[in-house]
Amino acid sequence: MIIHLKENIDKVSANNIAKEVSGRLIFDEKKFIIITSSKNKEVPEKIREKIDESFIIDSDIQLSSRKYINKTRNIKINKIELGGSTKNTLMITGPCSIESKDQIEKCAELLKSNGLTTLRAGCFKPRTSPYSFQGLGLEGLKMLSDIRNKYGFNIISEVKDASHVDDVIEYTDIIQIGAKAMYDHGILRETGRQRKPVLLKRGFGSNLQEFVQAAEFILSEGNPNVMLCERGIRTFETKTRFTLDLCGVSFLKEHTNLPIILDTSHAMGYSYGVPDLTRACVAMGIDGLLIESHPNPSEAKSDASQQLNFDEFNKMFESLRPICNAVNRNLI
Ligand code: PEP
Ligand code: MN
């Protein structure tokens, strides 16, 4: 249950009421909001006079539910906006990992030549093997920050564990929580205690309820700026890296109020399938895309097989415009 307290209720009283109903308390612009378990179906008699509105919701998909806010939330990322009434589809691109100044500068030029605004690059890489490239860490974040200063881009980079969550918050404009970190409550809560946008990737072994409930951890700490990213789940299929769950995307569009970003690169695992899959995603009317691109994919230090070279990226990007127009979306 979500309870909106009356605007004149002060923080001490709001805290007391939250304790009384065993709920989480957040402050949303003008009012305090309490979120309790969805098992609670009735506002207790003794607090009724202190509340403005209440929402009974049938599962713990609550703050992210359309039954609470019946539209896609609006998210501002510096000069750009997603969701709300914008109809924007944001193209986020860049390499899997930042590898050098020269590499990231070339990627920045790719964005600039296409009029794009949002550069991705991982610095703390959640690799499957401890012996492979682990990312440039803080040094990489500082290089990304220089790129932001030079080009004015938004920067997105991922948090892998709690040891560097503050650094990623400081140096980026969007914080990415990777598939393997989706269940890390330390990261979820800490990114929820600040207000920079968070892109939460779906754990490849998690169902939709678990995925959206992970987003609830961030929202229920008070950060309303959360985006959901479908990046493929593990199925019995081994010919592709993962299986992109577009049925799940339909579910998320219908039932949640969070902007939805599609990562076709990690789902497919091979560059040859990325353009077709991306076109299919755009046709669904989504809020954004996350596509890995690299000046020389075969030499990439991570995810070499799935990154698009710049020619492939440019060709794919141009092909998206008519599809966006057909579904009434602006490609930005
Ligand atoms: C990435 O974006 O490079 C990445 C590691 O993604 P995921 O967490 O989806 O595997
Ligand atoms: Mn990657």
Side-chain angles (χ1 to χ4, degrees):
M1 180 165 47
I2 301 173
I3 299 167
H4 285 191
L5 297 181
K6 287 191 170 147
E7 279 183 26
N8 61 358
I9 305 276
D10 62 40
K11 189 163 184 188
V12 176
S13 321
N15 251 318
N16 288 338
I17 301 168
K19 272 196 198 127
E20 203 148 328
V21 296
S22 307
R24 298 194 63 77
L25 181 70
I26 58 176
F27 187 70
D28 175 34
E29 286 163 11
K30 293 190 208 115
K31 58 190 178 298
F32 286 101
I33 297 175
I34 296 171
I35 312 104
T36 73
S37 161
S38 56
K39 292 190 183 111
N40 299 334
K41 301 292 181 205
E42 226 178 291
V43 178
E45 179 73 50
K46 55 185 168 192
I47 67 162
R48 267 184 209 161
E49 60 181 21
K50 302 193 175 109
I51 75 163
D52 210 16
E53 226 180 330
S54 63
F55 303 81
I56 311 288
I57 297 181
D58 49 20
S59 90
D60 276 345
I61 295 179
Q62 297 203 70
L63 292 166
S64 53
S65 171
R66 290 232 165 209
K67 289 185 182 138
Y68 175 49
I69 298 172
N70 191 17
K71 59 179 189 219
T72 307
R73 287 170 185 251
N74 179 254
I75 295 192
K76 291 191 176 56
I77 313 158
N78 297 319
K79 290 184 200 139
I80 62 158
E81 282 184 51
L82 289 188
S85 52
T86 67
K87 299 273 177 205
N88 285 339
T89 296
L90 173 66
M91 169 59 82
I92 303 169
T93 193
C96 179
S97 304
I98 178 169
E99 297 164 3
S100 66
K101 275 191 183 158
D102 176 58
Q103 173 234 24
I104 205 67
E105 187 86 39
K106 286 182 177 140
C107 295
E109 289 295 332
L110 173 76
L111 270 80
K112 194 174 158 195
S113 67
N114 283 293
L116 297 174
T117 57
T118 309
L119 174 69
R120 67 145 282 145
C123 301
F124 298 93
K125 296 307 297 179
R127 303 308 299 281
T128 309
S129 164
Y131 311 118
S132 46
F133 177 64
Q134 304 291 304
L136 296 184
L138 186 58
E139 188 196 346
L141 281 179
K142 289 183 178 164
M143 285 183 198
L144 288 174
S145 172
D146 290 344
I147 290 283
R148 172 173 44 188
N149 294 342
K150 180 165 169 191
Y151 290 88
F153 295 150
N154 294 316
I155 300 292
I156 167 166
S157 196
E158 71 195 277
V159 177
K160 182 179 64 167
D161 62 54
S163 68
H164 51 264
V165 53
D166 294 334
D167 288 332
V168 175
I169 292 171
E170 182 181 339
Y171 286 100
T172 63
D173 305 284
I174 306 171
I175 299 129
Q176 175 175 323
I177 301 178
K180 290 176 187 148
M182 189 207 87
Y183 284 112
D184 185 323
H185 292 177
I187 293 175
L188 297 173
R189 287 202 192 281
E190 194 155 343
T191 54
R193 287 194 282 266
Q194 53 87 56
R195 290 179 75 91
K196 277 192 183 169
V198 177
L199 180 143
L200 177 66
K201 286 192 157 196
R202 179 177 181 183
F204 46 76
S206 55
N207 65 28
L208 292 162
Q209 182 79 26
E210 292 161 339
F211 178 30
V212 185
Q213 279 181 191
E216 290 277 329
F217 274 89
I218 305 169
L219 296 165
S220 65
E221 286 291 337
N223 185 355
N225 303 308
V226 182
M227 297 170 259
L228 297 175
C229 179
E230 164 60 33
R231 46 77 73 210
I233 53 174
R234 182 157 282 163
T235 64
F236 55 79
E237 187 52 72
T238 55
K239 297 292 186 207
T240 58
R241 190 176 183 192
F242 294 97
T243 298
L244 190 65
D245 183 10
L246 296 187
C247 297
V249 171
S250 280
F251 170 89
L252 298 172
K253 282 181 69 180
E254 180 72 13
H255 296 284
T256 80
N257 57 39
L258 304 177
I260 298 163
I261 312 295
L262 267 293
D263 170 354
T264 54
S265 301
H266 290 86
M268 184 68 205
Y270 301 98
S271 57
Y272 74 82
V274 171
D276 275 349
L277 269 181
T278 305
R279 285 186 280 271
C281 292
V282 166
M284 292 186 75
I286 46 154
D287 302 287
L289 294 155
L290 191 84
I291 306 291
E292 286 189 341
S293 53
H294 190 286
N296 188 359
S298 61
E299 308 236 306
K301 293 190 174 169
S302 58
D303 288 349
S305 62
Q306 69 196 32
Q307 305 198 56
L308 300 184
N309 68 34
F310 292 177
D311 282 346
E312 289 165 337
F313 178 86
N314 287 334
K315 208 167 146 222
M316 178 193 75
F317 187 63
E318 272 318 302
S319 76
L320 301 179
R321 287 198 188 285
I323 306 172
C324 269
N325 290 342
V327 295
N328 192 24
R329 289 265 160 182
N330 320 307
L331 187 60
I332 63 166

